[in-house]
């Protein structure tokens, strides 16, 4: 089976930096996705990490450590529109995406 | 633009009735599509994998006789919630893989909010 753990809620201030952690235990691990989901909407793709290390994409970066079963999503220069849920999803050789509980981020002015 | 559509976007029905939700892949012939359910303030839970031309594969704990999935063509999968009850009220989302040789990034439909009275 799979076990995925993320903080349930986080708050931050506009312009700040926030790091959302995800730990996972899976078999047949291939890589890890991060998705963003605004309330009442479908998830949208943010990043996919296969190799260890940090991948930067604009204000968002994602880190993976395969040996530790650990990933984080780093959001810089936070904006109000970044208030959303962030979903960690390991991708395994079952060809299915299994989502973590999601982290609800609220950005305050 | 959107690559996956769902219809209807919202549906309200009476307890005991059946509701059909359609999921269309607009730009890609998808042999596999996925159905998720999401309760308020919770994450997406995979319900089943829809396979074109064959039976769907259901996740543990999902009643296959209650949630009927039909993948009759390469662009359409349907989910029918049979004899719906208030506890079936949820946000239902479908998705399809990015492509044949992709790393299985999934494109999601806009979702269908089902309310059972």
């Amino acid at each position: 089976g799979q076990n995925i753990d993320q903080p349930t809620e986080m708050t931050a201030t506009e312009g700040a930096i926030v790091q959302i952690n995800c730990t996972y235990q899976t078999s047949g691990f291939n890589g890890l996705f991060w998705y963003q989901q605004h309330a009442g909407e479908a998830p949208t793709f943010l990043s996919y990490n296969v190799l260890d290390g940090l991948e930067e994409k604009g204000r968002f970066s994602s880190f993976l450590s395969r040996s530790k079963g650990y990933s984080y999503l780093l959001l810089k220069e936070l904006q109000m529109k970044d208030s959303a849920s962030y979903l960690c999803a390991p991708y395994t050789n079952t060809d299915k995406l299994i989502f973590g509980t999601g982290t609800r981020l609220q950005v305050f002015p | 633009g959107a690559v996956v559509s769902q219809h209807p976007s919202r549906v309200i029905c009476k307890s005991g009735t059946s509701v059909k939700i359609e999921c269309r892949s607009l730009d890609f012939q998808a042999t596999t599509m996925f159905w998720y359910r999401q309760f308020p303030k919770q994450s997406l839970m995979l319900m089943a994998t829809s396979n074109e031309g064959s039976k769907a594969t259901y996740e543990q704990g999902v009643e296959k006789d209650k949630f009927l999935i039909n993948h009759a063509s390469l662009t359409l999968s349907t989910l029918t919630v049979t004899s719906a009850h208030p506890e079936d009220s949820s946000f239902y989302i479908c998705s399809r893989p990015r492509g044949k040789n992709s790393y299985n990034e999934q494109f999601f439909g806009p979702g269908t909010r089902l309310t059972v009275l």
Side-chain angles (χ1 to χ4, degrees):
Chain A
Q2 299 199 53
N3 188 34
I4 305 160
D5 193 31
Q6 299 179 238
T8 306
E9 293 189 357
M10 297 182 73
T11 60
T13 308
E14 201 173 11
I17 299 173
V18 71
Q19 177 174 313
I20 302 174
N21 296 323
C22 171
T23 58
Y24 61 89
Q25 291 176 315
T26 67
S27 54
F29 179 81
N30 286 334
L32 189 135
F33 286 92
W34 282 95
Y35 278 82
Q36 180 192 59
Q37 186 183 25
H38 286 97
E41 298 181 13
T44 55
F45 170 81
L46 288 179
S47 67
Y48 180 60
N49 291 64
V50 177
L51 303 176
D52 284 357
L54 185 68
E55 293 205 8
E56 298 184 69
K57 193 187 292 185
R59 293 190 299 115
F60 292 6
S61 304
S62 55
F63 172 85
L64 177 67
S65 168
R66 296 173 71 109
S67 61
K68 294 182 180 178
Y70 169 67
S71 174
Y72 68 73
L73 181 69
L74 192 70
L75 293 76
K76 302 176 188 175
E77 301 169 20
L78 280 173
Q79 302 175 9
M80 298 296 291
K81 67 178 183 179
D82 297 329
S83 293
S85 287
Y86 292 87
L87 310 176
C88 165
Y91 170 50
T92 71
N93 55 15
T94 63
D95 280 341
K96 293 185 287 192
L97 265 183
I98 307 296
F99 287 88
T101 54
T103 299
R104 279 197 308 280
L105 173 66
Q106 195 155 5
V107 180
F108 291 100
Chain B
V3 298
V4 179
S5 70
Q6 278 184 244
H7 178 81
S9 58
R10 288 179 180 269
V11 57
I12 301 173
C13 69
K14 291 182 180 179
S15 187
T17 61
S18 294
V19 174
K20 181 187 281 188
I21 303 169
E22 294 185 348
C23 175
R24 293 183 184 275
S25 175
L26 301 177
D27 65 342
F28 179 75
Q29 293 187 322
T31 56
T32 302
M33 298 173 86
F34 300 92
W35 285 96
Y36 295 84
R37 179 168 54 180
Q38 185 174 35
F39 292 108
K41 296 190 177 181
Q42 295 187 24
S43 191
L44 281 78
M45 296 298 295
L46 179 65
M47 297 176 68
T49 303
S50 175
N51 305 300
E52 190 270 334
S54 65
K55 290 182 181 179
T57 308
Y58 290 82
E59 295 300 302
Q60 194 171 5
V62 177
E63 299 173 60
K64 62 180 181 181
D65 294 330
K66 181 168 183 63
F67 299 100
L68 301 179
I69 291 173
N70 186 297
H71 196 145
S73 77
L74 288 170
T75 59
L76 175 64
S77 175
T78 60
L79 168 68
T80 302
V81 183
T82 62
S83 186
H85 290 286
E87 57 265 31
D88 299 323
S89 298
S90 188
F91 192 48
Y92 292 87
I93 307 178
C94 69
S95 72
R96 69 144 177 91
R98 181 188 183 201
K100 241 181 184 179
N101 299 314
S102 75
Y103 43 65
N104 210 32
E105 174 193 344
Q106 291 186 22
F107 292 119
F108 289 86
T112 297
R113 186 160 302 282
L114 170 64
T115 302
V116 184
L117 302 177

